Each structure stands twice: as structure tokens, then as C-alpha cells.
């Protein structure tokens, strides 16, 4: 079974709002074995919308539309669909009563414009909306089912759950399952050249697996998708595939359950009962911010400081001025002294020091923009490394935080 998703709303074509509903819809459809084969964003325009729907009729099994079911004149989904299918819009008295009651509960009278939301294309199944005035609608035409859902994400999600439960049975050829392997410390081409010969064979397996490789800042994801009757078949196939990837990439694979690296590092710290203190310069606290995004991080995050100027590094962290004069503030020696200093101040097991040139100014031939020195100390063990990141300021910062957490992870693993 396949589907197209149409996100409706002129605001979604502008630069300020993004269509997130289609992601949530895709996730739920995949879970019952429906593949999404195309997505479209269309403005509040009857002609444009009708053309997009017409294009999919008789082509896919299911069209899921979201948005444009509101009471105002710019919400045209109902009318566009009725016109396209050549059916009249009938007033549904039960629906109207429900909307009136909703307003009455708030001590209000229903505005006349909301009457439009009780208009139903003839032949449509009305899907109740427990948390809003816009009902959903389910129609069928030329063998294609058309599902109209409201735009507000909370209403859309809740309604979709009910529809999947009551109207869309899982397809007999199984559901779609996904496993995400997260990798760091390698380039995309490195990962692909190592892993491609292996994942190229996965589609031929008994439970076939499709693979997508996605690179973002400081991180690569392998998305494995399998179609299977039940979860255990898919999980078994994923386990085998994951083992093959781990054999090839070793410790660069940091998670296989969707966890971000800050959660992985947090777990390693918590398991050991260790605590951590960070001294951040060029990252301005970003690493600590990410570590503390994880609930329960108070068990291991003791303190952190942003020591941006050389004077602060000397005064607060006890970095010797001579070290800065001799090696420069961006150097492995200074990163290490920062980590030592903050660990001593905080009395923690682990200390981290990060110092670098985020740019766009401040680079030199031997230390160009993007040079970042990171030191991680834990007990007697330490990892100190200099990186050369590329990209604008914010991306150097985020790659630095990612690299610091990866050094920390590797140190904790070994
Ligand atoms: P509507 O159904 O057109 O009345 O949508 C109402 C509101 O829901 C819009 O103003 C958006 O804030 C939100 N919305 C509509 N469509 C989407 C979408 N595809 N993704 C995320 N939010 C949406
Ligand atoms: Mg709208």
C-alpha cells in the first residue's frame, strides 16, 4: 500500500513555517506498512490543491491531506475536494451541534463562519475531532482513499491515531521498521566506501533492508528500513546488519537506538558513578548545554565555566600565563591545563577543556579558523587532540561540542 501526503497552507510555502505534519504522518503510516511515495506542499488555493489531488487519484492507494479545514475563508480543502469529485457539500446536523456545543462549553455562541466546518462532501465518513472544531473526512474515489486531516499538529495526530485504529488495517505484506545507526569521527565518504559493499547485499536477504546514509555536522546516520510481518523478524535482521556495520566501523558507531551522543556519554558517566566538569572557550557552553539536555544529567554534571578571555583562563582555571604565551591560547597544552584546572576546582572525576578559533576572524597560517584543541581527562587517562573543522562559526562550535563528547565517550569506553 502506498500513499502521497499533501500539506495545505500558504504559510507553509513561506520562509517562516515548516510542514512538520507530514513527518508525523509518515512515521505512523510506515508503522502500519504504508510507504509514502511523494509529498507536496500547496498553498490555500482551490485550483492548485485540486490539481495536486487529481494527479494522485487512481495512482496511489491513499492520499493524506492536512490543513485547510478551518472556519475562515482561506481554508478551502473541503470545497476543493467536493468540487473535484463532483459531489455536493451537505450540512451535517450532528457535526454542527457538536461545534455549537464546543463553543457553548466556553460560554460562547458559535460564530456564523464555523458553520462551514459542518459541511461534508457527500459520501464522506466524518471523523470526530475531540480537541478541535475541524472534523476529519475520509472519502474514496477511483480506488484511492482520500483522508482530510486538520492542520494543527495536536489535532492531526490524535485524529490519525483513531483512523489508523478504525479504518486502516496493517497491510498483509508487513509493517515498516527502522533502525538508526549513528556514527561520528569519520567522513561520509569514508563511511560509505567501507559500508556500501555490505549494505548493498541487504536488500537480497530474507528480510530485506534498505539503507539511506545521511550526513550532518560531525555525524553520519545510517537509516535501515525493513518490511516484516512482526517486530522480532525485523529486529533480528537489524541485529545482524548492525553487527556487520560495527565490525567495519568499530567504535565510531555510537548509538543504534536513536540516542544522541550526549545521552550515550551520560549513560557511561552514570554507570561508573563519575562526575564531570567542563571548561569551554570557543563553544561558549554548548557542550554543557547539550549534556544537560538529558534528563537526570544532574547525577554527573557538577559544574562548567565559559572562560573566553586569556585572563579568565588564567584567573579561574589556573592556566599558567607562560603556557599561553609559549603555545597560544588555542593549543593542546592550554586545553589540557583548562581541563585540569576545572577538574581541580570542581573536584570531579572527569575534566574537559575546549579552546579553538570559531572564526570568521582570528585565524593564522599555522592555526587557521576551525582549529580546535580539546582535552578530556578521567582519572589517570587522558585524550588530547587538535581538530581542523571547516564551515561558519556556528558549525565550528557545534562540531567542537560533538568532538568533545566523542573524545569523552572513547575515553570512557576504554
Ligand atoms: P489549518 O488546518 O489550515 O487551519 O491549520 C491551522 C494551523 O496548523 C496552521 O496555522 C499551522 O500553524 C498549523 N499547521 C497546518 N499545517 C501544518 C503542517 N503541515 N505542519 C505543521 N503545522 C501545520
Ligand atoms: Mg491553513
Amino acid at each position: 500500500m502506498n500513499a502521497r501526503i499533501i500539506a495545505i497552507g500558504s504559510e507553509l510555502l513561506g520562509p517562516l513555517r515548516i510542514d512538520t505534519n507530514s513527518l508525523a504522518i509518515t512515521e505512523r503510516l510506515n508503522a502500519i506498512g504504508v510507504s509514502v511515495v511523494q509529498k507536496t506542499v500547496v498553498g490555500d488555493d482551490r485550483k492548485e490543491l485540486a490539481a495536486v489531488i487529481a494527479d494522485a487519484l487512481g495512482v496511489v492507494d491513499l492520499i493524506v491531506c492536512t490543513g485547510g479545514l478551518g472556519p475562515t475563508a482561506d481554508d478551502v480543502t473541503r470545497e476543493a475536494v467536493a468540487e473535484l469529485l463532483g459531489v455536493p457539500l451537505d450540512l451535517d446536523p450532528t457535526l454542527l451541534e457538536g461545534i455549537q456545543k464546543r463553543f457553548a462549553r466556553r460560554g460562547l455562541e458559535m460564530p456564523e463562519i464555523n458553520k462551514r466546518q459542518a459541511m461534508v462532501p457527500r459520501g464522506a465518513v466524518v471523523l470526530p475531532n475531540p480537541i478541535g472544531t475541524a472534523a476529519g473526512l475520509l472519502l474514496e474515489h477511483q480506488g484511492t482513499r482520500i483522508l482530510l486531516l486538520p492542520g494543527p499538529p495536536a489535532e492531526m495526530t490524535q485524529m490519525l491515531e483513531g483512523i489508523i485504529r478504525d479504518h486502516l488495517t496493517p497491510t498483509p505484506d508487513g509493517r515498516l521498521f527502522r533502525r538508526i545507526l549513528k556514527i561520528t569521527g569519520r567522513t561520509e565518504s569514508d563511511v560509505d566506501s567501507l559500508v556500501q559493499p555490505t549494505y548493498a547485499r541487504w536488500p537480497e536477504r530474507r528480510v530485506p533492508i534498505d539503507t539511506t546514509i545521511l550526513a550532518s555536522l560531525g555525524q553520519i546516520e545510517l537509516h535501515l528500513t525493513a518490511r516484516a510481518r512482526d517486530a522480532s523478524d525485523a529486529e533480528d535482521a537489524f541485529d545482524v546488519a548492525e553487527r556487520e556495520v560495527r565490525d567495519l566501523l568499530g567504535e565510531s558507531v555510537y548509538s543504534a537506538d536513536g540516542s544522541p551522543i550526549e545521552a550515550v556519554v551520560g549513560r557511561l558517566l552514570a554507570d561508573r558513578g563519575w562526575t564531570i566538569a567542563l571548561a569551554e572557550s570557543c563553544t561558549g557552553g554548548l557542550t554543557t548545554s547539550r549534556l544537560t539536555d538529558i534528563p537526570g544529567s544532574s547525577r554527573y554534571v557538577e559544574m562548567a565555566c565559559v572562560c573566553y578571555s586569556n585572563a579568565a583562563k588564567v584567573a579561574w582555571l589556573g592556566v599558567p600565563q607562560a603556557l599561553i604565551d609559549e603555545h597560544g591560547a588555542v593549543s593542546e597544552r592550554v586545553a589540557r591545563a583548562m581541563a585540569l584546572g576545572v577538574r581541580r576546582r570542581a573536584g570531579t572525576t572527569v575534566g574537559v577543556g575546549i579552546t579553538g578559533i570559531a572564526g570568521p576572524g582570528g585565524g593564522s597560517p599555522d592555526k587557521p579558523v576551525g582549529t580546535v584543541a580539546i582535552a578530556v581527562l578521567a582519572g589517570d587517562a587522558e585524550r588530547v587532540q587538535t581538530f581542523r573543522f571547516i564551515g561558519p562559526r556556528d558549525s565550528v562550535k557545534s562540531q567542537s561540542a560533538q568532538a568533545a563528547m566523542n573524545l569523552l565517550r572513547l575515553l570512557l569506553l576504554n
Side-chain angles (χ1 to χ4, degrees), residues 293-304:
D293 281 341
I294 304 303
S297 50
S298 58
R299 278 178 298 164
Y300 45 86
V301 177
E302 176 66 26
M303 69 158 279

Side-chain angles (χ1 to χ4, degrees), residues 7-9 11-12 17-22 44 66-70 75 149-153:
I8 303 153
E11 77 277 13
L12 304 173
R17 289 291 182 96
I18 184 164
D19 155 39
T20 53
N21 283 355
S22 67
D44 296 299
T66 149
L69 294 178
D75 292 307
L149 299 174

Side-chain angles (χ1 to χ4, degrees), residues 21 65-70 129 134-137 148-153 155-157 159:
N21 283 355
C65 297
T66 149
L69 294 178
N129 182 345
L137 297 163
L148 308 181
L149 299 174
E155 296 177 31
M156 187 283 296
T157 326
M159 199 178 286

Side-chain angles (χ1 to χ4, degrees), residues 25-239:
I25 295 168
T26 303
E27 190 183 11
R28 293 301 293 124
L29 291 181
N30 283 177
I32 57 162
V34 178
S35 305
V36 173
V37 291
Q38 204 179 97
K39 298 201 295 187
T40 311
V41 175
V42 59
D44 296 299
D45 181 298
R46 274 162 87 148
K47 276 216 184 76
E48 296 276 1
L49 175 56
V52 175
I53 296 175
D55 186 55
L57 280 177
V59 177
V60 286
D61 303 302
L62 176 68
I63 303 171
V64 182
C65 297
T66 149
L69 294 178
T72 55
D74 65 350
D75 292 307
V76 295
T77 303
R78 245 178 254 103
E79 290 76 9
V81 169
E83 191 176 289
L84 176 70
L85 304 191
V87 294
L89 284 164
D90 301 322
L91 182 78
D92 183 322
T94 321
L95 202 47
L96 182 63
E97 203 186 306
I99 299 170
Q100 281 164 336
K101 276 193 182 144
R102 252 194 99 72
F103 279 96
R105 273 207 301 277
R106 292 158 59 200
L108 302 168
E109 203 167 308
M110 186 193 84
E112 192 56 26
I113 53 165
N114 282 80
K115 209 170 163 185
R116 287 184 62 214
Q117 296 187 295
M119 301 301 289
V120 174
R122 192 168 294 170
V125 176
V126 177
L127 310 158
N129 182 345
I131 56 171
T133 51
L137 297 163
L138 182 62
L139 303 100
E140 188 158 348
H141 194 79
Q142 293 176 6
T144 299
R145 289 208 266 183
I146 309 162
L147 177 57
L148 308 181
L149 299 174
E155 296 177 31
M156 187 283 296
T157 326
Q158 203 171 86
M159 199 178 286
L160 185 61
E161 284 308 317
I163 291 153
I164 284 174
R165 190 186 55 232
D166 301 335
H167 299 277
L168 300 174
T169 43
T171 53
D173 44 343
R175 295 179 288 155
L176 287 181
F177 297 89
R178 191 163 285 126
R179 185 172 295 186
I180 298 174
L181 304 182
K182 295 191 179 182
I183 297 148
T184 195
R186 289 178 187 265
T187 63
E188 183 183 17
S189 45
D190 181 31
V191 170
D192 199 53
S193 61
L194 282 167
V195 182
Q196 195 275 341
T198 299
Y199 73 67
R201 295 196 311 264
W202 292 345
E204 269 76 64
R205 299 241 167 110
R206 189 181 63 79
V207 176
I209 298 175
D210 285 327
T211 310
T212 317
I213 183 163
L214 297 168
S216 57
L217 280 182
Q219 157 169 318
I220 294 153
E221 296 184 359
L222 282 180
H223 288 206
L224 281 49
T225 312
R227 187 181 283 281
R229 284 278 163 77
D230 42 59
S232 65
D233 278 353
E235 296 309 324
D236 289 349
F238 286 147
D239 286 346

Side-chain angles (χ1 to χ4, degrees), residues 243-319:
R243 226 172 296 128
E244 290 172 348
V245 172
R246 286 187 186 273
D247 283 346
L248 292 164
L249 300 180
E251 287 174 346
S252 324
V253 181
Y254 70 81
S255 104
D257 61 359
S259 303
I261 197 161
E262 47 271 35
V264 174
V265 166
R267 236 170 358 236
L268 290 168
L269 287 166
D271 286 350
R272 282 164 182 70
W274 285 7
T275 52
I276 184 171
L278 301 97
E280 301 196 47
S281 184
C282 67
T283 39
L286 182 61
T287 319
T288 310
S289 171
R290 285 181 53 185
L291 282 173
T292 54
D293 281 341
I294 304 303
S297 50
S298 58
R299 278 178 298 164
Y300 45 86
V301 177
E302 176 66 26
M303 69 158 279
C305 61
V306 177
C307 285
Y308 218 56
S309 69
N310 290 351
K313 290 178 180 73
V314 173
W316 285 85
L317 300 169
V319 176

